[in-house]
Amino acid sequence: MKENVNDGSTPIHLRAGGTSLVIAVDGGRLPRILHWGPDLGALGDDALADLHRAALPAVGDSAVTYPQPVPVLPQLAEGWLGRPGLVGDADGRRWAPKFRDATHEVDHADDGPVLRSTALDPEYGLAADFEIQVLAASGLVRQRVAVRNDTAAPYRIDSLELALPVPSDASEILDLTGRWALERVPQRRPFHVGEWVRASRGGKPGLEHTMLLVAGEAGFGFRHGLVWATHLAWSGNQVLAAERTPAGTRHLTAGEVLLPGEVVLGQGESYRSPWQYGSWGAGLDDLASRFHRHLRSRPQHPRSPRPVVLNTWEAVYFHHDLDTLTALAERGAEAGAERFVLDDGWFQGRRDDTSSLGDWTVDPAIWPGGLEPLVARVRELGMDFGLWFEPEMVNLDSDLAREHPEWIFDGGHGPGLASRHQHVLDLGHPDAYTHLFDRISGLVGSLGIDYIKWDHNRYLLDAGHTPDGRPGVRRQVEQAYRLMAELKAAHPGLEIESCASGGGRVDLGVLEFADRVWPSDCNDPHERLEIQRWTGLLVPPEMQGTHIGAEESHTTHRTHPLDYRAEKALWGHLGIEVNLLTADDETHAALARWIAFHKEHRALLHSGDVVHADLADAAFRLEGVVARDRGEALYAFSVVERPSTWPPGRIRLPGLDDERHYTVEAVHPGSAPAAGAVLPPWQRDGVTLPGRALRLVGIEAPSLDVDRSVLLRVVSVPAAS
Ligand code: DGJ
């Protein structure tokens, strides 16, 4: 149902999924958000008009006092002196756009109400079409804008950023940083006057990218404090910023970082920004659950049980041979693996990482009978088959690079710096795109590949399209999306994992096409606990690849017992990434027990609400998954450093139903606690308590060494009479 709201006298109230968004639309001005956050209930026109009046500040004596609140596209020509909304020009003119004469329409769409606003800048011949939506399944807010040039003079856009306001209680900022094998490290700071800007300019979000920018009430945690966050659904260059002005505005902005001349609009052409998403919550768990609900509500969300993966990378690296890999597949199937993924090293000439990217044909020297015998055995064992590709990359030492040097990005100084010995294939060349599609699709079809591990290791630097040298980064992202979509359309059921040296391409843009992300190349459970926790702000467990790695981590060289490695991998899309051919029988049997435990509980793990306790002592972690109906839960209590107090004290279990009773027991899928271990009394045979008592009183934490954990299984039972 559509509703015209042209008179604009009353703010628009979009309500869905527990979120209210109240938007002022008066005076032909651009939409201005008065409230974004908790549902306000039904409000009549009078209340909405008063809410608008109540939200207006006193106007000072400066002519350039910007009317509050600022529109979703802030404009210099209206007096805005902060981060610009649209930066563009026509050969040095038409550089201070002033969109106005806006008309508005509310569409009560099935996936949530959407305000569509169209505004014009008649002098400049520009039009802007906004969409601002509250999603019904999640209460997420999202917005985007399309700017159109209606004149014959080309209009160049340098940047286009939208803004979501946060209230003045949002006094602290949280964002994420990181590096290879240490993605998603949180950092916090006060929300001072100024701009806190996080940008990615490497053609993908990157390992160090913040993924989300959060502002919240002082001291907010997973379970407390109101928080608001923004995310850009885009896998290319981008900027997220938290801005506070002396005049009181606080907002979170997001937009694509455009390279010079990347967007030049001819007459009638438009540039549409990626979706800017906004989530809010009472604590980070609530904020994250909106993203999880959103992803889970989409028709393409993976709904079949997530098959346990056996990935060959850390098991054999480039040392491929049929006998070893067949034996690995057999050992994996015995342990319970359901999908065999052959990683890097299978294609023409690829013996190490110095050559052959781009030559996507099976190497006859290593695979004289092709991959078919391996695939046939994998299928006999009842497993799916997956194969590694790095479609956008090329080694200069490859047949592809020798035959088509013009398909390699070149900003005017040759192909540029190598990284991991590789360069980038420009998918903006139609022939390069077609070549790639044909090669990958041919293999997917002939081998019956179920799953592509889609890697992307090099950043895009001076990524110029040959022969003109114009930047091709934006088009590269669009073409990568197109390639994923067309491969999936040609091969229904094909799944894709987004990997970029680990977690370098984790965003809602790629997740339109990918079925899971690889959060990190680090399989060390000590690091994985944190990486998965913070990746989980956006990505639900079933979309995070979590593998049981080697006893001695290949990235950190710490050693951990199987139980800790397996427990930390249990929660996501489980995999094995270890050489099973060297594991002794006892280890193998324990691994099989962990995999069986995962399969028994994966329906819960992959559909429930993810919860984290806010614990005062930084030495401890408690996280879990609670069934949506609150009937059961699993938690893990972990010790990550030596605590200052001992015994550790009580832990409270979040997320349960206050009114129901639950049994709590420690479970040990791998190996039982050593005889004589010091255990709190309840841990010997469990305890039964109301959810309220578990939330408010808690239970004594198990006594553990560093990098050890205990799993808690919690099941609701009828209340004792
Ligand atoms: C980087 C990935 O992150 C790894 O998991 C592995 O696939 C290698 N590339 C293969 O070269």
Side-chain angles (χ1 to χ4, degrees):
M1 186 186 78
K2 290 188 178 165
E3 189 188 324
N4 279 316
V5 283
N6 283 340
D7 90 336
S9 53
T10 314
I12 306 294
H13 188 188
L14 305 180
R15 287 178 71 202
T19 296
S20 273
L21 193 68
V22 182
I23 310 166
V25 290
D26 57 309
R29 295 190 54 214
L30 298 184
R32 282 151 293 137
I33 295 172
L34 300 170
H35 166 81
W36 163 36
D39 187 2
L40 300 176
L43 293 174
D45 284 359
D46 289 350
L48 283 168
D50 269 5
L51 192 144
H52 187 189
R53 259 182 356 108
L56 295 177
V59 177
D61 56 3
S62 164
V64 205
T65 298
Y66 201 83
Q68 301 282 336
V70 298
V72 295
L73 185 77
Q75 309 195 86
L76 176 70
E78 282 188 304
W80 174 248
L81 299 176
R83 288 183 73 77
L86 169 63
V87 179
D89 72 301
D91 199 19
R93 300 185 179 185
R94 298 157 69 201
W95 55 273
K98 189 173 180 183
F99 289 105
R100 54 199 194 278
D101 302 334
T103 58
H104 311 276
E105 180 183 89
V106 175
D107 182 357
H108 297 279
D110 287 346
D111 61 346
V114 49
L115 171 68
R116 296 185 212 284
S117 304
T118 295
L120 301 172
D121 180 338
E123 294 83 0
Y124 278 18
L126 295 174
D129 292 318
F130 297 84
E131 292 166 87
I132 306 173
Q133 185 171 28
V134 181
L135 291 166
S138 58
L140 284 180
V141 168
R142 63 179 183 181
Q143 59 179 358
R144 63 183 176 184
V145 59
V147 171
R148 193 181 66 240
N149 175 25
D150 286 331
T151 74
Y155 195 80
R156 166 173 153 157
I157 295 184
D158 289 332
S159 71
L160 183 56
E161 271 179 53
L162 292 175
L164 285 168
V166 295
S168 53
D169 319 273
S171 58
E172 200 170 308
I173 297 171
L174 166 76
D175 63 332
L176 306 167
T177 176
R179 59 176 169 81
W180 179 72
L182 191 67
E183 293 86 341
R184 319 273 103 91
V185 177
Q187 53 181 10
R188 283 181 184 243
R189 70 200 59 244
F191 199 159
H192 287 312
V193 169
E195 300 171 25
W196 179 245
V197 183
R198 297 298 311 278
S200 303
R201 298 191 180 84
K204 58 182 168 182
L207 300 164
E208 53 290 286
H209 186 49
T210 188
M211 200 179 72
L212 282 180
L213 188 52
V214 184
E217 292 177 339
F220 65 82
F222 282 95
R223 308 296 301 175
H224 68 274
L226 283 176
V227 280
W228 293 262
T230 194
H231 168 84
L232 193 72
W234 182 243
S235 308
N237 292 344
Q238 57 187 274
V239 60
L240 304 181
E243 177 172 36
R244 177 178 167 191
T245 69
T249 296
R250 291 173 203 228
H251 58 199
L252 303 174
T253 72
E256 192 182 348
V257 170
L258 297 170
L259 293 169
E262 231 174 359
V263 175
V264 180
L265 303 177
Q267 187 159 21
E269 288 179 347
S270 300
Y271 164 74
R272 192 168 70 179
S273 67
W275 283 113
Q276 178 193 18
Y277 277 80
S279 183
W280 72 276
L284 293 170
D285 281 346
D286 194 20
L287 180 149
S289 78
R290 293 188 191 283
F291 286 113
H292 298 182
R293 273 187 275 150
H294 166 62
L295 286 163
R296 288 172 173 172
S297 71
R298 304 162 314 141
Q300 75 267 41
H301 191 69
R303 287 191 167 73
S304 56
R306 298 293 70 214
V308 175
V309 166
L310 189 153
N311 183 286
T312 63
W313 181 239
E314 289 196 354
V316 299
Y317 291 102
F318 292 104
H319 309 298
H320 287 196
D321 74 77
L322 178 61
D323 290 348
T324 306
L325 288 162
T326 304
L328 194 62
E330 288 166 351
R331 210 59 178 137
E334 278 167 25
E338 298 162 311
R339 172 174 286 168
F340 184 88
V341 180
L342 185 63
D343 211 291
D344 195 356
W346 56 268
F347 46 95
Q348 179 82 42
R350 183 73 162 177
R351 295 289 76 80
D352 56 33
D353 62 10
T354 60
S355 78
S356 308
L357 282 175
D359 295 344
W360 304 114
T361 49
V362 178
D363 191 336
I366 303 295
W367 300 97
L371 288 177
E372 282 78 358
L374 176 68
V375 177
R377 184 67 185 129
V378 163
R379 296 221 179 284
E380 261 171 34
L381 293 165
M383 291 192 277
D384 289 355
F385 183 72
L387 197 58
W388 180 93
F389 289 90
E390 196 174 2
E392 294 125 291
M393 298 294 152
V394 60
N395 287 121
L396 295 186
D397 182 5
S398 66
D399 291 344
L400 184 73
R402 282 182 282 271
E403 281 161 28
H404 291 287
E406 78 284 8
W407 289 355
I408 300 172
F409 273 126
D410 179 345
H413 306 91
L417 288 175
S419 168
R420 206 191 183 209
H421 313 283
Q422 64 196 55
H423 290 80
V424 186
L425 194 69
D426 177 1
L427 303 192
H429 278 280
D431 292 346
Y433 178 92
T434 304
H435 168 83
L436 212 46
F437 177 85
D438 290 347
R439 281 294 161 91
I440 299 174
S441 183
L443 282 161
V444 172
S446 63
L447 292 170
I449 293 169
D450 302 288
Y451 179 82
I452 291 177
K453 178 176 177 182
W454 189 301
D455 212 338
H456 186 288
N457 286 293
R458 186 185 183 275
Y459 284 98
L460 276 64
L461 305 177
D462 42 350
H465 178 74
T466 52
D468 59 23
R470 289 180 187 280
V473 174
R474 173 176 164 67
R475 184 163 45 177
Q476 184 82 347
V477 177
E478 291 176 332
Q479 291 289 79
Y481 287 166
R482 179 181 155 207
L483 189 57
M484 291 183 196
E486 291 187 347
L487 285 168
K488 283 191 144 191
H491 304 281
L494 176 70
E495 292 191 10
I496 293 176
E497 166 175 89
S498 172
C499 169
S501 308
R505 189 151 64 177
V506 179
D507 59 82
L508 292 183
V510 80
L511 284 176
E512 283 298 298
F513 311 100
D515 302 277
R516 80 168 197 172
V517 300
W518 181 232
S520 179
D521 275 355
C522 184
N523 289 319
D524 174 338
H526 179 89
E527 306 295 348
R528 269 301 185 126
L529 189 166
E530 305 298 332
I531 293 168
Q532 291 163 199
R533 156 180 283 225
W534 295 105
T535 304
L537 283 185
L538 185 74
V539 184
E542 65 274 20
M543 301 188 94
Q544 285 202 50
T546 54
H547 292 182
I548 302 170
E551 182 173 11
E552 179 181 329
S553 161
H554 290 204
T555 48
T556 66
H557 303 288
R558 286 196 196 100
T559 58
H560 291 100
L562 174 67
D563 284 344
Y564 198 55
R565 287 178 277 139
E567 182 273 298
K568 288 294 163 255
L570 175 79
W571 304 88
H573 182 177
L574 179 64
I576 311 164
E577 193 162 339
V578 64
N579 190 351
L580 293 175
L581 302 177
T582 57
D584 60 38
D585 288 348
E586 198 182 316
T587 307
H588 198 263
L591 179 72
R593 287 196 293 277
W594 272 105
I595 291 173
F597 184 86
H598 170 83
K599 289 180 181 173
E600 196 186 325
H601 297 285
R602 68 183 156 191
L604 161 68
L605 295 170
H606 294 170
S607 67
D609 291 336
V610 180
V611 296
H612 303 82
D614 292 310
L615 302 175
D617 194 326
F620 305 128
R621 299 283 182 278
L622 180 92
E623 40 216 337
V625 174
V626 181
R628 298 237 67 201
D629 69 0
R630 306 280 170 263
E632 58 172 333
L634 271 176
Y635 298 92
F637 171 74
S638 314
V639 176
V640 298
E641 60 188 57
R642 299 205 73 196
S644 51
T645 56
W646 200 258
R650 286 191 209 137
I651 43 172
R652 299 164 176 170
L653 302 185
L656 300 169
D657 184 339
D658 272 5
E659 306 304 325
R660 286 156 84 172
H661 283 61
Y662 295 91
T663 57
V664 182
E665 57 168 342
V667 287
H668 307 279
S671 42
V678 182
L679 305 177
W682 72 263
Q683 205 182 325
R684 296 191 182 280
D685 43 15
V687 72
T688 303
L689 283 168
R692 181 177 286 107
L694 289 167
R695 179 172 67 84
L696 296 174
V697 181
I699 53 174
E700 180 65 21
S703 296
L704 299 170
D705 291 331
V706 174
D707 280 356
R708 299 291 185 272
S709 62
V710 167
L711 268 181
L712 306 177
R713 171 127 173 83
V714 177
V715 179
S716 87
V717 290
S721 52

